[in-house]
Amino acid sequence: MSITQKIKDIENELSRTQKNKRTEYHIGLLKGKLARYRAQLVDQIAKSGGGASGASFEVAKSGDARVALVGFPSVGKSSLLNLLTDSESAIAQYEFTTLTCVPGFLTLHGARIQILDLPGIIRGASAGKGRGRQVIATARSADLIVMVLDAGGHPKQKEYLTAELETMGIRVNRQKPNIGLRVKTSGGVQINSTVPLTQLTPELIKHLIHDYKIFHCELLFHEDAAPEDLIDIIELHFRPSSRQYLRCMYVYNKIDITSMEELNELAHQEHTAVISCELKLNLDNFVRQLWNELGLVRVYTKTRGADPDFVEGLVMFQGATVNDVCLQIHRNLPSIVKHVLVWGRSAKYNPQQVGLTHQIEDEDVIEVVKRITAD
């Protein structure tokens, strides 16, 4: 039996199994098996040497950030790319018009954002149907996935697409589970938790751990984890690249053919924008939200006694530190920094003297003071 068939069988069994106290352990075991088979599927694709069913589209990553447009056929991905960039992706009234990856660039607040129009995927994409594996493999390289949906389409389209991404190891709008794992050579399985565990029992935890041939380890749970969360941590231990935790923005197109009640319900969902490519409705709001979902910040530099350079700013991701900024200026700069002066939102007062670990915020201005070194 193929891995994809095993995955399908377990998914069917999970859908048929009623959730109650008596079935919790069985469901946990099924989820563990499902996670392992999905991991094996990703490995199998990677080891195939990038055959037509598994390789990503060969598009060099460029610009300050990369956005991948993912969705079913004929939902408006190509139309959206054409409206946002100077690229021309073919548009027609039939499915699978786009057969390869079409890149374009959007300049926004001084940032150059690469947008990839990917072929439409269908249910079963992760199992090799269509060019789905190539699409998903390319999406793994993105900083943000924009899931383009049909506002009048199937009510479970978002759920189906998310499941295809999950199968290939992509976790959208989720953080890495806060579980500590330290593998040892003796002592058995030691389980500690800072919160009550309602979805995992010691018996189930040991079963899942032993399935990976781990018999001695320390586990520390900082959250109420599910079986699949523990499996993710184990997979990351053995294969750090097996899981990708990516931001995802949901964009409902064709709002011009939906009712006001449906439109209002969609517009209030988290990480969601509503647009009409045909009538060019709400595109400005979409672009503003795209910037926020990417989590980009602009940093401007200045030299002593001079005004800041507000033309050639640096574009970084939220959470970046002064050290990251210095590295972007020059790889050796952090080694000769004496201190840094910061003006802006991250400063308690202007200017504030900070170290390399200081976290920057949008539109901060920094001045790097170098150490005086002898020649």
Side-chain angles (χ1 to χ4, degrees):
M1 187 185 297
S2 67
I3 293 177
T4 53
Q5 185 59 49
K6 290 178 181 178
I7 290 173
K8 185 177 180 180
D9 289 347
I10 294 175
E11 288 174 339
N12 289 337
E13 187 173 352
L14 278 170
S15 66
R16 294 193 303 265
T17 305
Q18 292 185 350
K19 294 182 180 180
N20 53 55
K21 283 289 183 181
R22 295 176 59 186
T23 61
E24 278 183 355
Y25 183 77
H26 178 64
I27 289 174
L29 294 180
L30 290 175
K31 287 182 175 180
K33 284 184 179 180
L34 181 60
R36 288 196 303 280
Y37 285 138
R38 284 175 171 173
Q40 289 175 24
L41 177 63
V42 174
D43 282 348
Q44 187 182 78
I45 293 168
K47 291 175 182 177
S48 68
S53 62
S56 63
F57 294 101
E58 294 183 2
V59 179
K61 196 168 186 178
S62 182
D64 297 297
R66 170 179 275 195
V67 173
L69 304 181
V70 173
F72 288 125
S74 302
V75 293
K77 298 184 297 298
S78 298
S79 298
L80 184 57
L81 180 80
N82 294 344
L83 289 170
L84 296 177
T85 73
D86 55 3
S87 295
E88 291 189 9
S89 189
I91 301 173
Q93 297 301 317
Y94 52 83
E95 294 185 348
F96 303 108
T97 308
T98 303
L99 298 176
T100 188
C101 177
V102 181
F105 285 93
L106 167 68
T107 300
L108 184 61
H109 301 315
R112 196 161 178 261
I113 301 169
Q114 184 184 46
I115 300 180
L116 305 181
D117 175 21
L118 296 168
I121 62 177
I122 57 177
R123 291 190 69 185
S126 57
K129 291 185 178 180
R131 308 193 77 174
R133 287 181 178 174
Q134 283 180 284
V135 171
I136 298 173
T138 305
R140 289 175 67 91
S141 69
D143 300 300
L144 173 72
I145 293 175
V146 170
M147 190 180 290
V148 185
L149 305 161
D150 187 336
H154 196 287
K156 289 190 175 183
Q157 58 186 313
K158 182 165 77 172
E159 180 183 324
Y160 293 152
L161 287 168
T162 301
E164 297 295 339
L165 296 174
E166 285 270 335
T167 299
M168 294 290 287
I170 297 176
R171 307 291 184 256
V172 297
N173 294 331
R174 287 165 52 186
Q175 298 292 322
K176 176 184 173 182
N178 195 358
I179 305 171
L181 169 63
R182 186 165 73 92
V183 178
K184 304 189 301 180
T185 57
S186 62
V189 176
Q190 299 176 31
I191 304 168
N192 295 289
S193 175
T194 60
V195 297
L197 298 179
T198 63
Q199 305 174 73
L200 287 167
T201 63
E203 183 183 13
L204 179 56
I205 291 171
K206 290 178 181 178
H207 184 98
L208 296 175
I209 287 286
H210 290 166
D211 276 349
Y212 279 87
K213 310 302 180 186
I214 300 175
F215 301 101
H216 307 284
C217 69
E218 287 182 3
L219 281 165
L220 179 57
F221 292 85
H222 294 283
E223 64 179 57
D224 184 17
E228 51 267 41
D229 295 324
L230 176 57
I231 293 293
D232 275 2
I233 291 299
I234 301 171
E235 286 289 340
L236 285 167
H237 173 78
F238 289 109
R239 291 171 286 273
S241 63
S242 65
R243 298 291 185 270
Q244 292 284 105
Y245 295 85
L246 299 177
R247 302 181 188 210
C248 182
M249 181 179 177
Y250 308 103
V251 181
Y252 285 91
N253 185 28
K254 306 179 185 179
I255 60 172
D256 48 299
I257 58 174
T258 61
S259 67
M260 288 302 296
E261 292 79 9
E262 291 172 321
L263 177 59
N264 184 62
E265 183 179 348
L266 293 174
H268 284 85
Q269 293 178 7
E270 197 174 13
H271 307 293
T272 300
V274 292
I275 62 171
S276 170
C277 289
E278 184 174 351
L279 299 183
K280 300 181 181 179
L281 293 176
N282 211 33
L283 291 175
D284 289 343
N285 182 62
F286 163 75
V287 170
R288 283 193 295 270
Q289 190 169 341
L290 179 71
W291 174 268
N292 294 331
E293 294 286 349
L294 273 168
L296 295 174
V297 296
R298 294 154 291 179
V299 184
Y300 304 103
T301 59
K302 70 179 295 295
T303 57
R304 187 174 182 180
D307 292 331
D309 180 6
F310 289 115
V311 178
E312 296 294 331
L314 300 174
V315 178
M316 315 287 292
F317 284 95
Q318 286 176 0
T321 64
V322 168
N323 187 69
D324 297 322
V325 176
C326 290
L327 285 172
Q328 188 156 330
I329 296 171
H330 193 281
R331 64 182 182 180
N332 294 327
L333 184 56
S335 64
I336 59 173
V337 169
K338 180 180 179 182
H339 62 261
V340 175
L341 298 176
V342 176
W343 292 257
R345 298 178 185 176
S346 72
K348 295 179 181 178
Y349 43 86
N350 292 306
Q352 180 186 356
Q353 182 175 313
V354 301
L356 293 175
T357 59
H358 178 81
Q359 197 170 101
I360 59 168
E361 294 190 27
D362 192 30
E363 297 188 312
D364 275 358
V365 174
I366 72 169
E367 177 184 323
V368 178
V369 180
K370 302 177 185 178
R371 291 200 312 268
I372 298 175
T373 57
D375 294 334

